[in-house]
Amino acid sequence: MKTGDTNHNITVQSSNVGLGEALPQRAREAILKVADKYFGHLSSAAVHFSKDGHSYRCTVDIHMGALKHVIGEASEEDCHKAFDHALERAAKQLRRMKREVRDDKRHRGAETQHWAAMGNF
């Protein structure tokens, strides 16, 4: 993975929820996979679980390099499902950021070519 050994930058916490060992490890691996897919420069990430009535609430906070924090939240009957949905929401924001950066880069390249063709560059 491009992100290297960043497990110490990913915290998994809970309030009044027993997570066991499998869920925190699964959360770390899933966040690393998403980070590699979109930008690959994971600065830090935090996952927080809490009990909300009969359901579980999960908040995923991802910070990638110089980009703003991406936060995904979800509430489900199962901790694993809550994490999956929260991570999907955060990944969707990262995907949109990457598309915006890519489109801006393409736009700037076309503008530079336009000015160079006119002899003003």
Side-chain angles (χ1 to χ4, degrees), residues 7-109:
N7 281 341
H8 61 279
N9 291 335
I10 302 173
T11 59
V12 181
Q13 301 173 333
S14 68
S15 299
N16 303 327
V17 178
L19 298 179
E21 293 180 22
L23 183 57
Q25 184 60 32
R26 180 175 168 266
R28 287 183 184 96
E29 290 171 2
I31 287 173
L32 287 173
K33 186 176 179 180
V34 166
D36 279 344
K37 183 176 182 179
Y38 292 108
F39 289 99
H41 302 288
L42 180 67
S43 297
S44 64
V47 180
H48 187 266
F49 293 93
S50 61
K51 187 78 168 153
D52 191 19
H54 293 291
S55 61
Y56 296 95
R57 173 169 293 284
C58 179
T59 304
V60 175
D61 182 359
I62 300 175
H63 186 230
M64 304 281 293
L67 300 173
K68 65 179 184 174
H69 282 264
V70 173
I71 299 172
E73 292 183 329
S75 183
E76 293 288 336
E77 295 292 323
D78 180 50
C79 282
H80 292 269
K81 288 182 183 179
F83 171 73
D84 291 340
H85 288 137
L87 186 60
E88 284 175 20
R89 290 179 177 156
K92 186 175 191 177
Q93 293 175 46
L94 289 171
R95 183 176 64 242
R96 289 178 176 171
M97 282 181 187
K98 186 171 183 174
R99 183 182 308 133
E100 185 178 313
V101 168
R102 187 177 58 232
D103 289 347
D104 183 50
K105 188 175 181 180
R106 186 180 312 139
H107 175 70
R108 283 187 284 130

